[in-house]
Amino acid sequence: MAVLPILKMGDARLLRHAQPVTRFDTPELHALVRDLLDTMAAANGAGLAAPQIGVDLQVVIFGSDQPNPRYPEAPVVPRTVLINPVVTPLGDEEEEGWEGCLSVPGLRGVVPRWRRIRYQGFDVQGQPIDREAEGFHARVVQHECDHLWGKLYPMRVRDFTRFGFTEVLFPGLDASADD
């Protein structure tokens, strides 16, 4: 449908707790998902949350059927539309990994995340989703769901010696792909 502007860190709308979706399989919800998919694809994103385009609803999308150019070494994550998610850690083990964000362009940081999670919610038709994930897949889900609760990944960085500009930290990556 449309490639929409992505809100940047500093915009107060990114700090709100998004509202749950109460009606599924509506034209408006389908249009929102199409806009999210188009915007994520145009930005080469690994995922995108509705609040990042200024929509105050608990809707995230993530994954694709091919490797992501922003994370070329990461495994493929299945394309998913997840609505009203609940994320539950499976165990106490955390894993650190580099993250970037379309709302924090040009920067990357090491963020601790649960290594294994269960995520539950609904698809656009209102059918239940209940999956377990680990590694990069779990990281992407947690990152995107954080947007629904008003958190950006820099808020989770514990060691700011491992936070900086993509072009400095990863000279082999196209830093403009982080914009």
Side-chain angles (χ1 to χ4, degrees):
M1 291 241 10
V3 174
L4 300 175
I6 297 171
L7 302 181
K8 303 293 188 260
M9 185 169 65
D11 190 309
R13 292 174 288 178
L14 291 171
L15 303 176
R16 299 185 302 203
H17 282 247
Q19 300 302 305
V21 171
T22 58
R23 295 180 58 229
F24 294 88
D25 203 20
T26 65
E28 296 82 11
L29 187 57
H30 284 278
L32 170 60
V33 169
R34 281 192 304 275
D35 288 347
L36 285 166
L37 289 167
D38 289 349
T39 303
M40 181 179 84
N44 288 322
L48 192 65
Q52 290 180 273
I53 60 169
V55 177
D56 192 28
L57 288 173
Q58 291 181 17
V59 179
V60 298
I61 62 168
F62 53 84
S64 68
D65 301 322
Q66 55 196 7
N68 185 284
R70 294 180 70 229
Y71 300 93
E73 305 300 318
V76 173
V77 174
R79 181 180 302 265
T80 303
V81 175
L82 183 61
I83 300 171
N84 299 344
V86 173
V87 177
T88 307
L90 298 176
D92 295 332
E93 188 178 355
E94 288 184 344
E95 187 172 75
E96 291 186 331
W98 287 96
E99 293 186 19
C101 181
L102 299 173
S103 291
V104 188
L107 295 167
R108 299 263 175 129
V110 172
V111 179
R113 299 277 185 191
W114 300 111
R115 194 180 80 68
R116 293 183 60 242
I117 62 165
R118 176 182 185 191
Y119 62 92
Q120 299 166 285
F122 301 92
D123 68 15
V124 72
Q125 285 83 25
Q127 296 301 307
I129 294 173
D130 189 343
R131 297 184 189 149
E132 292 184 9
E134 61 183 282
F136 185 70
H137 183 170
R139 176 171 300 281
V140 170
V141 173
Q142 291 171 82
H143 176 108
E144 295 311 326
C145 289
D146 267 359
H147 284 293
L148 304 180
W149 302 304
K151 285 211 176 279
L152 297 168
Y153 84 87
M155 297 170 176
R156 294 202 181 273
V157 171
R158 292 180 184 158
D159 178 358
F160 280 90
T161 66
R162 297 186 296 166
F163 177 75
F165 290 97
T166 305
E167 66 188 21
V168 175
L169 294 166
F170 300 96
L173 282 182
D174 179 9
S176 67
D178 268 2
D179 290 341

